[in-house]
């Protein structure tokens, strides 16, 4: 009975300290982030509550990223409380040494960690996705999209009054392979289709090799090299999914498969 009581007491005390530290960081994150959102929206016509809404949507993701630091501080304050109240000596007199205390809070941390990853992470990822979609409405790059799925790398970009849909089955560090570029009018009428074996995308001026261009009047042109001016280069494409914390666990697993399909490293995922 004594064993169960001190285990419960230590576990509750540990969670209490972690919770207090978490609350402090939630308030800090709110005040720091809201100024960033106000600055981001200052030149855009939005309602006064938009920065608050964006901040609330973003806070769970911020907290999840700093959870290791929160737990570290929680452990520190946990032991400080034990020493300040001389409870550590009381526990030692009943045969509870530092190893047993560490073991108890380790099990507690492991348990809450699993729950945070399975439940809280999915919750924060969904809110982060809403946050990014919300900010995307005010972005200046709304005409440019990129995604990786089973069909490879897909890019949509607008250049003047023309729209380009780009698909590549393989992506390496500075190159794309098996590329198809569909050029459309602003009314989504087909203008021509560009097919290339490979493209150097180190710069925004892509150099395509072994190119065939099929025009709407069914005329085919062949080029050994062809320059395509894009809004993307290898660096931009590599950072497409820098915000992986907007994806839940199942979406991350799916994205990992898609990355492997096009030959791109899934280490960061």
């Amino acid at each position: 009975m004594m064993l169960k009581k001190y285990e419960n007491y230590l576990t509750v005390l540990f969670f209490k300290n972690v919770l207090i530290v978490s609350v402090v960081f939630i308030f800090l994150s709110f005040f720091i982030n809201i100024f960033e959102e106000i600055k981001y929206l200052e030149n855009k016509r939005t309602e006064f509550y938009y920065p608050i809404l964006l901040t609330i949507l973003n806070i769970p993701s911020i907290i999840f990223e700093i959870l290791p630091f929160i737990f570290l501080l929680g452990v520190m304050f946990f032991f400080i409380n034990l020493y300040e109240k001389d409870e550590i000596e009381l526990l030692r007199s009943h045969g509870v040494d530092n190893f047993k205390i560490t073991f108890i809070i380790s099990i507690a941390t492991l348990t809450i960690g699993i729950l945070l990853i399975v439940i809280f992470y999915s919750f924060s990822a969904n809110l982060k996705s809403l946050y990014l979609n919300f900010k995307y409405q005010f972005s200046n790059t709304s005409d440019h999209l990129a995604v990786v799925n089973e069909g490879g790398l897909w890019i949509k970009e607008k250049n003047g009054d023309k729209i380009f849909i780009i698909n590549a089955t393989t992506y390496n560090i500075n190159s794309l392979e098996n590329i198809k570029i569909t050029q459309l009018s602003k009314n989504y009428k087909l203008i021509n289709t560009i097919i290339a074996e490979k493209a150097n995308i180190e710069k925004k001026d892509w150099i395509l090799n072994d190119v065939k261009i099929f025009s709407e009047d069914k005329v085919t042109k062949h080029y050994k090299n062809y320059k395509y001016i894009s809004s993307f280069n290898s660096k931009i494409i590599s950072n497409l999914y820098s915000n992986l914390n907007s994806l839940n666990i199942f979406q991350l697993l799916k994205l990992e498969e898609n990355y492997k399909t096009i030959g791109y490293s899934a280490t960061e995922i």
Side-chain angles (χ1 to χ4, degrees):
M1 193 67 166
M2 175 63 189
L3 182 65
K4 189 173 183 180
K5 283 185 177 180
Y6 85 77
E7 286 179 343
N8 290 339
Y9 174 74
L10 292 176
T11 302
V12 171
L13 180 63
F14 173 64
F15 285 151
K16 179 181 176 182
N17 281 278
V18 171
L19 181 61
I20 292 172
V21 175
S22 299
V23 170
V24 171
F25 275 98
I26 287 172
F27 280 101
L28 285 175
S29 300
F30 179 86
F31 287 112
I32 292 173
N33 195 80
I34 196 169
F35 288 116
E36 293 182 5
E37 304 303 342
I38 291 173
K39 184 177 180 181
Y40 179 81
L41 298 171
E42 63 181 351
N43 296 322
K44 300 174 175 65
R45 296 179 180 179
T46 60
E47 301 293 337
F48 72 93
Y49 57 84
Y50 277 27
I52 299 175
L53 176 61
L54 288 172
T55 300
I56 292 173
L57 292 175
N58 196 33
I59 282 179
S61 178
I62 296 173
I63 295 301
F64 186 84
E65 291 180 5
I66 61 175
L67 275 177
F69 186 64
I70 290 174
F71 272 85
L72 174 63
L73 289 178
V75 171
M76 291 173 60
F77 286 114
F78 168 79
F79 278 105
I80 289 172
N81 286 340
L82 289 181
Y83 277 98
E84 283 184 344
K85 298 178 181 178
D86 292 326
E87 292 176 339
I88 195 75
E89 297 299 330
L90 179 62
L91 289 168
R92 285 175 179 170
S93 66
H94 286 84
V96 183
D97 56 16
N98 286 349
F99 176 78
K100 288 184 179 180
I101 297 174
T102 303
F103 179 76
I104 291 170
I105 62 174
S106 296
I107 295 298
T109 301
L110 179 62
T111 303
I112 194 66
I114 293 173
L115 293 175
L116 287 170
I117 291 173
V118 174
I119 300 174
F120 182 73
Y121 175 75
S122 296
F123 171 73
S124 68
N126 290 333
L127 291 185
K128 186 72 172 184
S129 181
L130 288 174
Y131 167 81
L132 294 174
N133 289 334
F134 213 111
K135 290 192 75 169
Y136 181 74
Q137 300 175 19
F138 306 102
S139 172
N140 295 324
T141 59
S142 57
D143 291 326
H144 306 294
L145 299 170
V147 67
V148 176
N149 60 25
E150 297 91 338
L153 173 67
W154 292 86
I155 295 174
K156 174 196 171 186
E157 56 182 345
K158 189 174 181 181
N159 189 347
D161 59 350
K162 295 182 177 63
I163 299 169
F164 296 86
I165 308 294
I166 304 166
N167 173 234
T169 59
T170 305
Y171 170 55
N172 296 314
I173 296 176
N174 288 319
S175 67
L176 296 175
E177 297 179 8
N178 299 322
I179 309 152
K180 181 180 179 181
I181 303 175
T182 304
Q183 182 179 348
L184 307 168
S185 67
K186 62 181 180 179
N187 298 320
Y188 288 90
K189 182 180 180 181
L190 178 65
I191 298 175
N192 60 42
T193 302
I194 302 171
I195 295 177
E197 292 293 327
K198 194 173 183 180
N200 185 314
I201 59 169
E202 187 174 358
K203 299 178 180 179
K204 291 186 178 180
D205 294 343
W206 295 6
I207 305 300
L208 281 62
N209 307 123
D210 299 324
V211 179
K212 296 178 183 178
I213 300 180
F214 302 91
S215 61
E216 58 180 343
D217 54 3
K218 299 182 180 179
V219 175
T220 304
K221 297 180 181 179
H222 298 264
Y223 297 93
K224 186 175 182 180
N225 295 301
Y226 183 86
K227 181 184 288 188
Y228 171 76
I229 301 175
S230 174
S231 303
F232 294 83
N233 56 24
S234 58
K235 184 177 180 181
I236 295 173
I237 293 174
S238 295
N239 292 327
L240 286 178
Y241 287 93
S242 58
N243 245 312
L244 293 174
N245 52 4
S246 66
L247 305 178
N248 62 42
I249 294 174
F250 299 105
Q251 291 171 324
L252 287 173
L253 292 173
K254 186 66 175 178
L255 183 61
E256 182 182 25
E257 292 178 6
N258 294 337
Y259 267 31
K260 291 178 179 178
T261 299
I262 65 172
Y264 187 53
S265 173
T267 302
E268 185 178 355
I269 299 176

